[in-house]
Amino acid sequence: MTTGTPAPDPQARADGEPSRIPVGVLGARGRMGTEVVKAVNAAEDLELVAMVDEGDWLFNVADAGAQVVVDFTRPDVVMDNIRFCVDHDIHCVVGTTGFDEQRLATVAEWLEPKPSVGVVIAPNFGIGAILLMRFAQEAARFFPSTEIVELHHPNKVDAPSGTAARTARLVAAARRDAGLPPPPDATTDALPGARGADVDGIAVHAVRLTGLVAHQEVLMGAAGETLTLRHDSYDRASFMPGVLLAVREVGRRPGLTVGLESFLGL
Amino acid sequence: MTTGTPAPDPQARADGEPSRIPVGVLGARGRMGTEVVKAVNAAEDLELVAMVDEGDWLFNVADAGAQVVVDFTRPDVVMDNIRFCVDHDIHCVVGTTGFDEQRLATVAEWLEPKPSVGVVIAPNFGIGAILLMRFAQEAARFFPSTEIVELHHPNKVDAPSGTAARTARLVAAARRDAGLPPPPDATTDALPGARGADVDGIAVHAVRLTGLVAHQEVLMGAAGETLTLRHDSYDRASFMPGVLLAVREVGRRPGLTVGLESFLGL
Amino acid sequence: MTTGTPAPDPQARADGEPSRIPVGVLGARGRMGTEVVKAVNAAEDLELVAMVDEGDWLFNVADAGAQVVVDFTRPDVVMDNIRFCVDHDIHCVVGTTGFDEQRLATVAEWLEPKPSVGVVIAPNFGIGAILLMRFAQEAARFFPSTEIVELHHPNKVDAPSGTAARTARLVAAARRDAGLPPPPDATTDALPGARGADVDGIAVHAVRLTGLVAHQEVLMGAAGETLTLRHDSYDRASFMPGVLLAVREVGRRPGLTVGLESFLGL
Amino acid sequence: MTTGTPAPDPQARADGEPSRIPVGVLGARGRMGTEVVKAVNAAEDLELVAMVDEGDWLFNVADAGAQVVVDFTRPDVVMDNIRFCVDHDIHCVVGTTGFDEQRLATVAEWLEPKPSVGVVIAPNFGIGAILLMRFAQEAARFFPSTEIVELHHPNKVDAPSGTAARTARLVAAARRDAGLPPPPDATTDALPGARGADVDGIAVHAVRLTGLVAHQEVLMGAAGETLTLRHDSYDRASFMPGVLLAVREVGRRPGLTVGLESFLGL
């Protein structure tokens, strides 16, 4: 089997046994890449056929017959990687950061002449975090108040976290769509910073604490009740179910997909 | 205005000012009824035209021109109330408990010859609780483990709460649909009761504590992460937004609606 | 019985039945005073003998034979009230705010010639809140990191709450006594306010949310573990056990006591 | 330096530089022992002089000049280890389980002729867990209701956890001492297990969830308020500060000490 002539259904073989999807990992020695390698090896329906990192030849993944490539590399090399894969009819699951509108448009362009190739670019493969964002977005219009508290280990350099800021913007947009006024707040006498950062009108508070890993709480309140959505991430392992889901699905989703949400059926 | 000749659009009047929906409350002196009376009085687009409780004439609500009736009475009188309202072309919002399949079928029959009348029967008007159940149901298939902890004041006689049991059954159904095996549990050495009640395969724990009101937590776990959905209800006031939403919408939803979910656009 | 000749043991009567402590309430029609009146009436060992508010004569409490007075009035009248009680040998339980070092010194002076009279002035009668502060103080030295999140209804005008600020200062002092360095924090890229208010080196975050009442969380972290202390106050009723405890104890604690801590045996 | 003639102050040397305490680790290749080895190596004031595990000679620790031995071995060998250390004037920090009253009495007997040797035997070196138990015990008498929820990974075989059961017993004893009646509970209609396990009159609930590590919550309630104490343990590293504290202090605490509490100044 070569990537140039992909089997029509990668799950079926002539002998009746399910075939395994051949997977290549780019950035295989990085922190996330290492986890991906472990997860692919542990999955019965996947086969690790190539591990590539700095200093390795990219065409190894093509030669090895990878049908899907997982890329956790760096913003400065990821575009080359995607271009190579698309050219070689290899589906891509991309967790590398640094994509703006322009980069996404470029990838979409590359995919135009390749109607069977799929690329999914996701800022977050944590299914729990994605669900939390989705639920916050759905619930926002029913609650006059929403605030976000994110809690991380003290080595984190940015505050608030990217996920918290993104959640705040999604909530703010849902509130605008529903015509909600700003959350009520009678504060007139505050110490600087007490009421958190203002992200698109939503207060976001960042706690930094030795012993914590990565946690986020969305608090929503209406008269007489509150709804709290909390996600606790203890381990990079938590991203792997999302990565594996994308690996299994990307071949059925030609074109560019941004975010894992649609793969989750949300 | 009489209920026999409802205005084509209850929101508009000839003088350009929005008309108010005339509302009657059955069980007006009960704990929930009292809250409904307050909430209707406080709503600018609603007008309280009749309050009925034991010993009062039911036809008062018709004579007073109620277009919508809210019923928080008792299982032994609610069917008569609904029948009366349907016969008089009055929409019904029913929070009284005790509806089984047979009662629902009877109400649906009554509605057949009345294509413009709407009846909504909801076991729970708390929007937060409804959202929590919905989100738990949606998230269930992504997590190997789900357990529920509900926490209430110590005067509650049933354990677990009806809402917790219902949430457990919804989660269990979603897990079955997704083909999930039972949640992992290596417990071999347990005190009786330590692992909670088994509701359709889901462990449910009931905490009773002075000072608490009504709280529910759904805990979902996957490798390296947990998602927690928590609802805190401090006050019966929290049911009123759901009741008012139903009052405003029921006229646009002819026939029988069970549960508030569809009114919430969920 | 007159307050000038107090019974040696207010709990004992000649007939063998326990006597009840006669209590007067100042500010009896205020929000806290109303609760105190209810609580004293409900306590079998206390007897409400006088209720005084603006426009009433203060000497009513003396004439009525009050042995203990509870004062929830205003900063501009509380000193006169205390002076009157001390002069009439009536013990005082004071929840009114606005006491600084000078006022406390003045009260202590008044008490010098009255060795049997007790006055307790407490900024907080909530036993849960007092315990939380105490535990935070005791635990602080074992954890490199401490932050505080307080959560209140959106009508609150100050942020952070007085209790949270006080807790932060107590924690900061305990950390200094133990020689701890500042909590680790690698943040270099923060939105203004994201990291909360700085109270004596401790980050304090204030959440304002419809539906909430008054809540406080102290989060402490060390390598691989966190300890969280949380207090939820749903109702002014929560202050009454502390007030009643003070009423029962103040007669056995001559002189000036600041804070309820010592009455709690902490 | 030999262990038979310990320096009067192990922290001081003739040249003015602080000396390091020589430490031996028994069970050095076990899960806890491995962590202890790492922690001792990382501590500037301690020196790892011997690592002993099955198959190694115990007298290595004496020959190497260990002043303190840390024992995380097994119930069937720990008594021999302690006897050896006491005989050789080596202080012991013991985390091995399986001590009953008889074993403790035996150790105390061995220590009688050795007035300068200290042995501390602790079921738990997690400072957070110890603080939680202590605070629960102190607060118990102020709250009519206390319940415990412990949450662990699903591979745990016992339910509830030993720490939760111990906390329940401590709370129950504190309640008895204060003359509190049983917690109020109107439950009459319960599914089996819903109200948790009964440990000495305290309800204890055990949650098992993929993704969790080891967590415990003590919930205490009074009218209008609740106090929640929560400990989250993410990593065995969390036990090391307690172990190192014991190593540093045991030389100053001759005789047998059970539990780390007194070392914490609690």
Side-chain angles (χ1 to χ4, degrees):
Chain A
M1 178 189 295
T2 75
T3 54
T5 56
D9 178 353
Q11 309 286 25
R13 293 196 312 198
D15 58 7
E17 281 206 13
S19 73
R20 298 193 298 165
I21 305 174
V23 178
V25 177
L26 307 186
R29 291 192 297 272
R31 290 190 308 178
M32 284 295 288
T34 306
E35 290 290 328
V36 174
V37 163
K38 273 198 282 183
V40 169
N41 272 327
E44 291 187 7
D45 60 336
L46 307 180
E47 185 181 5
L48 184 68
V49 297
M51 294 168 59
V52 169
D53 211 313
E54 249 174 312
D56 302 325
W57 301 113
L58 190 52
F59 53 71
N60 284 344
V61 298
D63 290 357
Q67 274 179 17
V68 178
V69 147
V70 180
D71 184 301
F72 280 97
T73 57
R74 291 198 323 266
D76 58 331
V77 300
V78 65
M79 291 299 281
D80 276 348
N81 295 346
I82 295 175
R83 178 62 189 262
F84 176 89
C85 292
V86 171
D87 283 352
H88 290 77
D89 296 298
I90 304 173
H91 309 298
C92 293
V93 173
V94 182
T96 306
T97 56
F99 282 85
D100 52 17
E101 289 307 311
Q102 200 188 326
R103 285 191 157 203
L104 294 174
T106 304
V107 173
E109 239 171 71
W110 292 341
L111 283 164
E112 263 168 41
K114 295 283 190 175
S116 70
V117 177
V119 173
V120 55
I121 298 176
N124 197 328
F125 283 93
I127 290 175
I130 293 169
L131 288 170
L132 180 138
M133 278 188 274
R134 168 54 57 109
F135 295 161
Q137 211 176 349
E138 278 181 32
R141 66 194 157 106
F142 298 111
F143 294 92
S145 299
T146 295
E147 302 207 0
I148 296 173
V149 180
E150 56 92 336
L151 313 94
H152 284 85
H153 58 85
N155 299 324
K156 190 169 179 59
V157 294
D158 53 326
S161 71
T163 301
R166 197 173 161 222
T167 308
R169 283 190 296 264
L170 292 170
V171 164
R175 291 174 61 96
R176 271 193 300 270
D177 291 351
L180 287 191
D185 182 2
T187 312
T188 52
D189 175 19
L191 290 182
R195 292 285 293 112
D198 180 325
V199 178
D200 216 354
I202 301 298
V204 183
H205 310 267
V207 173
R208 296 293 171 263
L209 210 71
T210 306
L212 289 179
V213 188
H215 317 261
Q216 177 169 332
E217 248 181 39
V218 180
L219 301 110
M220 306 182 133
E225 67 172 339
T226 57
L227 181 68
T228 306
L229 312 173
R230 179 174 174 121
H231 181 242
D232 294 275
S233 178
Y234 302 113
D235 198 309
R236 265 184 293 275
S238 66
F239 300 113
M240 292 310 116
V243 170
L244 298 191
L245 174 70
V247 167
R248 288 169 184 131
E249 289 288 318
V250 67
R252 288 195 269 267
R253 311 266 186 154
L256 175 62
T257 304
V258 178
L260 205 61
E261 284 82 351
S262 65
F263 283 32
L264 297 177
L266 293 177
Chain B
M1 179 191 292
T2 76
T3 55
T5 55
D9 178 353
Q11 309 286 26
R13 292 196 312 197
D15 59 6
E17 280 205 14
S19 73
R20 299 193 295 166
I21 305 176
V23 178
V25 178
L26 307 187
R29 291 193 295 271
R31 290 191 308 180
M32 284 296 287
T34 306
E35 290 290 328
V36 174
V37 163
K38 273 198 282 182
V40 169
N41 271 327
E44 290 187 8
D45 59 335
L46 307 180
E47 184 181 3
L48 184 69
V49 296
M51 294 168 58
V52 169
D53 211 313
E54 248 174 312
D56 302 325
W57 301 112
L58 190 52
F59 51 70
N60 285 344
V61 297
D63 290 357
Q67 275 179 19
V68 178
V69 146
V70 180
D71 185 301
F72 279 97
T73 57
R74 291 198 322 267
D76 57 331
V77 299
V78 65
M79 291 300 281
D80 276 349
N81 294 346
I82 296 175
R83 179 62 189 262
F84 176 89
C85 291
V86 171
D87 283 353
H88 289 77
D89 297 298
I90 304 174
H91 310 298
C92 293
V93 173
V94 182
T96 306
T97 56
F99 283 85
D100 52 17
E101 288 307 310
Q102 201 189 324
R103 285 192 157 203
L104 294 175
T106 303
V107 174
E109 240 172 70
W110 294 340
L111 283 165
E112 264 169 42
K114 296 283 189 174
S116 70
V117 177
V119 173
V120 55
I121 298 176
N124 196 329
F125 284 93
I127 290 175
I130 293 169
L131 289 170
L132 180 137
M133 278 188 272
R134 167 56 57 108
F135 295 160
Q137 211 177 348
E138 279 181 31
R141 67 194 156 104
F142 298 111
F143 294 92
S145 299
T146 295
E147 301 206 1
I148 296 173
V149 181
E150 55 91 335
L151 314 95
H152 284 85
H153 58 86
N155 298 324
K156 190 170 178 56
V157 294
D158 54 326
S161 71
T163 301
R166 198 173 160 221
T167 308
R169 284 191 296 266
L170 292 170
V171 164
R175 291 173 61 95
R176 274 194 299 270
D177 290 351
L180 287 191
D185 182 2
T187 311
T188 53
D189 175 19
L191 289 183
R195 292 287 291 110
D198 179 323
V199 178
D200 216 355
I202 300 297
V204 182
H205 310 268
V207 173
R208 296 293 171 264
L209 211 71
T210 306
L212 289 179
V213 188
H215 317 260
Q216 176 170 331
E217 250 183 38
V218 180
L219 300 109
M220 307 182 132
E225 67 172 339
T226 56
L227 182 67
T228 305
L229 312 173
R230 179 175 176 121
H231 180 241
D232 294 275
S233 178
Y234 302 114
D235 199 309
R236 266 185 292 275
S238 67
F239 299 115
M240 292 309 116
V243 171
L244 297 191
L245 175 70
V247 167
R248 289 170 183 130
E249 288 289 317
V250 66
R252 289 195 268 267
R253 311 266 187 155
L256 176 62
T257 304
V258 178
L260 205 61
E261 283 81 351
S262 66
F263 283 31
L264 297 177
L266 295 177
Chain C
M1 177 191 293
T2 75
T3 55
T5 56
D9 179 353
Q11 309 285 24
R13 293 196 312 197
D15 58 7
E17 280 206 13
S19 73
R20 300 192 295 165
I21 306 175
V23 178
V25 178
L26 307 186
R29 290 192 296 270
R31 291 191 308 181
M32 284 296 287
T34 305
E35 290 291 328
V36 174
V37 164
K38 273 197 281 182
V40 169
N41 272 328
E44 291 186 7
D45 59 335
L46 307 180
E47 183 181 3
L48 183 69
V49 296
M51 293 168 59
V52 170
D53 212 312
E54 246 174 312
D56 302 324
W57 301 113
L58 190 51
F59 53 69
N60 285 345
V61 298
D63 291 356
Q67 275 179 20
V68 178
V69 146
V70 181
D71 185 302
F72 280 98
T73 57
R74 292 199 320 268
D76 57 331
V77 300
V78 65
M79 291 300 280
D80 277 349
N81 295 345
I82 295 175
R83 178 62 189 263
F84 175 90
C85 292
V86 172
D87 283 352
H88 289 77
D89 296 296
I90 304 173
H91 308 299
C92 292
V93 173
V94 182
T96 306
T97 55
F99 282 85
D100 52 18
E101 288 308 311
Q102 200 189 325
R103 286 192 156 202
L104 295 175
T106 303
V107 174
E109 239 172 70
W110 294 340
L111 283 164
E112 263 169 43
K114 297 282 191 174
S116 70
V117 177
V119 172
V120 56
I121 298 176
N124 197 329
F125 283 93
I127 290 176
I130 293 169
L131 288 170
L132 180 138
M133 278 188 272
R134 167 56 57 110
F135 294 161
Q137 210 177 350
E138 279 182 33
R141 66 196 158 103
F142 298 111
F143 294 91
S145 299
T146 295
E147 301 207 1
I148 296 173
V149 180
E150 54 92 334
L151 312 95
H152 284 83
H153 58 86
N155 298 323
K156 192 171 178 56
V157 294
D158 53 325
S161 71
T163 302
R166 198 172 161 222
T167 309
R169 283 190 295 265
L170 291 169
V171 164
R175 292 174 61 96
R176 272 193 301 271
D177 290 352
L180 287 192
D185 182 1
T187 312
T188 54
D189 175 18
L191 289 183
R195 292 287 291 111
D198 180 324
V199 177
D200 215 354
I202 301 299
V204 183
H205 310 267
V207 173
R208 296 293 171 264
L209 211 70
T210 307
L212 289 178
V213 188
H215 317 260
Q216 176 170 332
E217 250 182 39
V218 180
L219 300 110
M220 308 183 130
E225 67 172 341
T226 57
L227 181 68
T228 306
L229 312 173
R230 179 175 175 121
H231 181 242
D232 294 275
S233 178
Y234 302 113
D235 199 307
R236 266 184 293 275
S238 66
F239 300 114
M240 292 311 115
V243 170
L244 297 191
L245 175 70
V247 167
R248 288 169 185 130
E249 288 290 317
V250 66
R252 288 195 269 267
R253 311 267 187 154
L256 175 62
T257 304
V258 178
L260 205 62
E261 284 81 351
S262 65
F263 282 31
L264 297 177
L266 294 177
Chain D
M1 177 191 296
T2 77
T3 54
T5 56
D9 178 353
Q11 309 286 26
R13 294 195 312 197
D15 60 6
E17 280 207 12
S19 73
R20 298 193 297 167
I21 306 175
V23 178
V25 178
L26 307 186
R29 290 192 298 270
R31 290 190 307 178
M32 283 296 287
T34 307
E35 291 289 328
V36 174
V37 164
K38 272 197 283 183
V40 170
N41 272 327
E44 290 187 8
D45 59 335
L46 307 179
E47 183 180 3
L48 184 69
V49 297
M51 293 167 58
V52 170
D53 211 313
E54 248 174 311
D56 301 325
W57 301 112
L58 191 52
F59 52 69
N60 285 344
V61 298
D63 291 356
Q67 274 179 18
V68 178
V69 147
V70 180
D71 184 299
F72 280 98
T73 58
R74 290 198 323 266
D76 59 330
V77 300
V78 65
M79 291 300 281
D80 276 349
N81 295 346
I82 295 174
R83 179 61 189 263
F84 175 90
C85 290
V86 171
D87 282 353
H88 289 77
D89 297 298
I90 304 174
H91 308 299
C92 293
V93 173
V94 182
T96 306
T97 56
F99 282 86
D100 52 17
E101 288 307 310
Q102 202 188 323
R103 286 191 156 201
L104 294 174
T106 304
V107 174
E109 240 171 68
W110 293 340
L111 284 164
E112 263 170 41
K114 296 284 192 175
S116 70
V117 177
V119 172
V120 56
I121 298 176
N124 196 329
F125 284 93
I127 290 175
I130 293 169
L131 289 171
L132 180 136
M133 278 188 272
R134 168 53 58 109
F135 294 160
Q137 211 176 349
E138 280 181 32
R141 65 194 158 105
F142 298 111
F143 294 92
S145 300
T146 295
E147 301 206 2
I148 296 174
V149 181
E150 55 92 333
L151 313 95
H152 284 84
H153 59 86
N155 299 323
K156 189 169 180 59
V157 295
D158 53 326
S161 71
T163 301
R166 198 174 161 224
T167 308
R169 283 190 295 267
L170 292 169
V171 164
R175 291 174 61 94
R176 272 192 301 271
D177 290 352
L180 286 191
D185 182 2
T187 312
T188 54
D189 175 20
L191 290 183
R195 292 286 292 113
D198 180 324
V199 178
D200 216 355
I202 301 298
V204 182
H205 311 267
V207 173
R208 296 293 172 265
L209 210 71
T210 308
L212 289 179
V213 188
H215 317 260
Q216 176 170 332
E217 249 182 39
V218 180
L219 300 110
M220 307 182 133
E225 67 172 340
T226 57
L227 181 69
T228 306
L229 312 173
R230 180 176 175 119
H231 181 241
D232 294 275
S233 178
Y234 303 113
D235 199 307
R236 265 185 294 275
S238 67
F239 299 115
M240 291 310 116
V243 171
L244 297 191
L245 175 70
V247 167
R248 289 170 184 131
E249 289 289 317
V250 66
R252 289 195 267 267
R253 311 267 188 153
L256 175 62
T257 304
V258 178
L260 204 62
E261 284 81 351
S262 65
F263 282 32
L264 297 177
L266 294 178

